[in-house]
Amino acid sequence: MSVYEIVTNKIISQLEKGVIPWRRPWVMRKHNLFTKKPYRGVNLLLLDKEGGYATWKQIHERGLRIKKGAKAKLVVFYKPFWVDTETGEIYAEEPEGVTVERKLMLRYYHVFHEDDIEGLKKEDKDDAWETTDPGEFITSIQDKPNILLDSDQAYYLPEKDEIHLPKPKYFKAKDDFFQTLFHELVHSTGHPSRLNRPLKAKKEDEKQYALEELTAEIGSSMLCSYTDVNLDWQNTASYVGSWLKALKNNKTFIFKAANQAQRAVDWLVAMARMGSKLDELTKKMVVNL
């Protein structure tokens, strides 16, 4: 079984149990316990608890122990390799004097959550997570589409580079408004002037439409975590069937969606002048939505 199949089957299993792995308010708050490097892309969906994770080697080389009965979690990474364009010979490291093509192989390893590690110091667990106000985040984004509060529906128009939404007062809660706006903002990163993803209507290309919708769904969840917006769990049940169908038909589907969502969020965060830390806005912005 390929790594793609292993990961996809894990996601399918969660969906069949009614658990939507990207619909968690802590989806972004997962990192390597010792390097503090955050997990990204599909790994955010594979790790079910917030906090720090470490490999068996990292744990034992620090004289720590894994609690009895603890279960490891799978995470994936891409390992590069090089192929000779003439002979097809494969190299683990880039060779000199040979024309090669760089490719990536999906691999996996296992990690343990900080709660499953004995002897851990308090300072190893502490990891301050800074968030910012969602309105402040949105207003600070440069090169965003026009946001018009003039509709009874929520949608993004690529041809005009416009987001149309109902006014906030028509949403049940402020968080519902921001969650919806984040979804459309992720769509807008697919515009040719930004990340240039195919933005197809359902009747034009159903598969591409499904991929883009899941991209926006996962990206919206990531942005909700950045801004402490509580996700609405009620608006997901009708989509589970279509997601399951897409995942079962294409074992790379969830990888593509998660990677596209991560790129979209990276772009939006960068354009908000927030860099890698969420509290580093250069100027406080007045919310004007």
Side-chain angles (χ1 to χ4, degrees):
M1 184 180 292
S2 72
V3 183
Y4 290 104
E5 290 175 306
I6 293 171
V7 171
T8 299
N9 288 345
K10 285 181 178 291
I11 302 296
I12 288 173
S13 176
Q14 291 184 69
L15 287 173
E16 289 178 336
K17 294 175 183 176
V19 177
I20 301 172
W22 50 88
R23 284 268 170 161
R24 295 187 177 117
W26 56 85
V27 69
M28 288 294 290
R29 307 177 190 191
K30 301 164 187 175
H31 59 275
N32 183 279
L33 183 61
F34 301 112
T35 68
K36 303 303 180 184
K37 185 177 180 180
Y39 289 104
R40 295 162 53 82
V42 76
N43 284 327
L44 294 172
L45 314 184
L46 293 172
L47 301 174
D48 57 359
K49 294 175 70 174
E50 68 175 322
Y53 290 81
T55 64
W56 184 93
K57 181 180 178 182
Q58 287 178 318
I59 293 167
H60 282 268
E61 68 185 8
R62 287 168 172 80
L64 306 173
R65 292 185 299 175
I66 299 167
K67 293 180 181 178
K68 187 177 180 180
K71 293 184 178 180
K73 298 294 181 180
L74 180 146
V75 292
V76 299
F77 67 101
Y78 287 97
K79 184 176 181 178
F81 64 97
W82 290 262
V83 180
D84 190 313
T85 55
E86 293 185 3
T87 67
E89 185 174 353
I90 297 174
Y91 299 89
E93 296 182 358
E94 186 173 8
E96 295 182 1
V98 180
T99 303
V100 293
E101 181 182 0
R102 184 178 184 270
K103 294 190 176 183
L104 297 173
M105 178 185 299
L106 188 66
R107 306 292 295 272
Y108 70 90
Y109 59 97
H110 290 91
V111 293
F112 293 88
H113 188 262
E114 59 188 36
D115 290 344
D116 294 322
I117 303 173
E118 292 181 343
L120 199 61
K121 296 178 182 178
K122 185 178 182 297
E123 53 265 32
D124 286 327
K125 281 191 175 186
D126 289 344
D127 185 61
W129 179 263
E130 299 290 342
T131 59
T132 192
D133 177 81
E136 181 179 56
F137 171 71
I138 292 164
T139 54
S140 70
I141 298 172
Q142 302 174 76
D143 188 34
K144 61 180 174 287
N146 291 326
I147 301 172
L148 305 174
L149 307 179
D150 61 352
S151 176
D152 59 356
Q153 299 179 60
Y155 56 93
Y156 170 64
L157 280 179
E159 59 271 23
K160 293 186 177 181
D161 197 25
E162 294 177 348
I163 291 174
H164 294 260
L165 291 166
K167 293 179 180 179
K169 66 180 181 180
Y170 295 120
F171 288 80
K172 288 186 295 183
K174 184 177 74 172
D175 282 352
D176 295 341
F177 170 76
F178 284 117
Q179 180 184 339
T180 303
L181 178 49
F182 285 153
H183 183 101
E184 304 306 331
L185 276 171
V186 173
H187 278 317
S188 75
T189 64
H191 190 272
S193 67
R194 300 184 183 102
L195 299 179
N196 195 25
R197 292 191 309 274
L199 299 174
K200 301 288 186 180
K202 188 174 183 178
K203 61 183 179 181
E204 294 179 298
D205 189 332
E206 188 171 351
K207 291 181 180 179
Q208 189 61 48
Y209 173 82
L211 178 62
E212 178 62 27
E213 283 304 308
L214 187 53
T215 295
E217 173 78 7
I218 296 173
S220 174
S221 295
M222 292 176 176
L223 290 172
C224 285
S225 181
Y226 270 133
T227 55
D228 267 349
V229 169
N230 292 316
L231 295 169
D232 180 6
W233 293 74
Q234 304 302 314
N235 297 326
T236 60
S238 61
Y239 295 103
V240 171
S242 61
W243 290 333
L244 281 170
K245 180 181 177 181
L247 288 167
K248 289 176 179 178
N249 291 338
N250 185 344
K251 297 303 181 182
T252 65
F253 184 80
I254 191 66
F255 289 86
K256 290 179 181 177
N259 288 339
Q260 287 185 172
Q262 185 71 69
R263 287 191 66 204
V265 170
D266 288 346
W267 189 92
L268 289 166
V269 170
M271 295 305 288
R273 305 185 302 280
M274 297 174 75
S276 60
K277 294 184 179 179
L278 301 174
D279 60 347
E280 289 182 352
L281 282 169
T282 56
K283 181 180 179 182
K284 292 293 183 181
M285 306 291 290
V286 177
V287 177
N288 181 24
L289 293 173

